[in-house]
Amino acid sequence: MGNYRSSIENREILRILQKAGPLQDNILWQSHSLGKNIIPVHHFEIDFVSREIVVFFDSFKNRLNPEMPLYVKLDYRGTVFKVSEFRMAKTTLHFGFPEKVKTLELRSIPRHVFNPHLEKHITLRPALHAMKQVSSELHFRSIDISESGVGLLVSEHNRSFLKNNRILWLTSLQDQMLPNAILAEVVYLNTDSEGRSSNRRQKDLKVGLKLSEPFPSDNYHRFIQ
């Protein structure tokens, strides 16, 4: 079974919806005491004006219970999400853009996951700032890494920094300054619900960076040791 992760990043969710639209094996389902009522989707459209998904299905053969939650599974990356509120027309179903989805994480490059007790940090700087403007650098904790991407654990108060600076320079791994800074793109921000005590008011974010080029091999292997 594949490895699923949750995403609350609007841009990633919209991209998944757009990719899934033309595919043939998208389905809806509702669970009840006798099992699941599975409903094939003919196709669906994204209504950007009303910010809704419009699903076309055979409403004569398939009945939905408006009092029960609805689940959607997309053929693109096995994406699944829950719909709590929806409305029905003759042959269509309407609901708002999902705020959270679960999707298969597809990695073609091995990932190294750090021991949670280790403090591994990278240094980032907004791409729009001058390369020598050290005052704009911030250090972030890395929770995993591959040769072409980095996973970070970021405090909530740094969310705006990453949302306002989607393209960044990655300048160092721990105390290793890279020979040349690497451009990195923020590809998702997910609320971290794991390993967080209930009395913590501030939520951490899991952040994924995609690199424009691989790390230098020596720097990468020293960092993961």
Side-chain angles (χ1 to χ4, degrees):
M1 184 175 178
N3 180 33
Y4 274 81
R5 64 176 176 82
S6 298
S7 176
I8 59 171
E9 172 56 29
N10 290 333
R11 290 201 312 172
E12 184 182 22
I13 291 172
L14 183 57
R15 186 163 56 242
I16 289 171
L17 292 170
Q18 289 173 316
K19 293 280 190 181
L23 302 181
Q24 300 300 313
D25 291 330
N26 302 312
I27 62 169
L28 312 171
W29 85 82
Q30 286 185 314
S31 297
H32 50 77
S33 58
L34 299 177
K36 286 183 180 180
N37 177 25
I38 298 175
I39 302 165
V41 171
H42 291 168
H43 70 281
F44 71 84
E45 299 174 357
I46 302 173
D47 186 338
F48 290 98
V49 176
S50 60
R51 294 188 61 79
E52 285 187 334
I53 307 299
V54 182
V55 178
F56 294 79
F57 70 105
D58 190 337
S59 58
F60 297 102
K61 289 184 179 179
N62 302 283
R63 299 294 181 181
L64 289 171
N65 184 343
E67 304 300 322
M68 296 176 60
L70 175 72
Y71 295 88
V72 181
K73 183 172 183 180
L74 303 178
D75 195 23
Y76 180 72
R77 292 176 60 177
T79 303
V80 179
F81 58 91
K82 180 180 179 181
V83 178
S84 299
E85 296 181 4
F86 58 90
R87 71 180 195 278
M88 293 181 289
K90 287 185 178 180
T91 59
T92 57
L93 176 75
H94 302 249
F95 54 83
F97 292 174
E99 296 182 355
K100 179 179 180 180
V101 304
K102 287 187 175 293
T103 186
L104 278 171
E105 185 169 38
L106 305 177
R107 293 179 180 268
S108 58
I109 299 174
R111 174 180 59 157
H112 179 87
V113 179
F114 293 113
N115 185 312
H117 300 295
L118 290 178
E119 291 289 332
K120 293 285 188 173
H121 292 86
I122 69 165
T123 304
L124 298 174
R125 181 185 302 161
L128 295 178
H129 289 203
M131 279 303 298
K132 294 184 179 180
Q133 194 172 339
V134 178
S135 61
S136 63
E137 288 185 343
L138 287 179
H139 304 286
F140 295 96
R141 181 183 173 189
S142 174
I143 53 175
D144 58 63
I145 192 169
S146 72
E147 291 182 357
S148 62
V150 186
L152 306 176
L153 197 61
V154 177
S155 62
E156 176 68 32
H157 74 265
N158 280 323
R159 176 194 286 267
S160 59
F161 173 83
L162 293 168
K163 287 186 74 72
N164 295 330
N165 298 283
R166 306 305 295 249
I167 306 296
L168 302 132
W169 289 110
L170 198 161
T171 59
S172 64
L173 299 175
Q174 206 77 343
D175 57 352
Q176 301 179 76
M177 182 70 70
L178 297 178
N180 296 292
I182 299 175
L183 277 176
E185 178 187 3
V186 178
V187 291
Y188 66 85
L189 293 89
N190 299 328
T191 301
D192 176 29
S193 59
E194 299 174 5
R196 195 172 63 235
S197 60
S198 59
N199 61 356
R200 276 191 65 177
R201 293 182 180 179
Q202 195 174 73
K203 294 180 180 180
D204 290 329
L205 304 173
K206 286 184 177 180
V207 178
L209 301 180
K210 180 180 179 182
L211 306 184
S212 61
E213 60 184 277
F215 286 112
S217 181
D218 288 348
N219 297 104
Y220 176 78
H221 286 98
R222 283 202 298 270
F223 186 61
I224 66 174
Q225 287 178 352

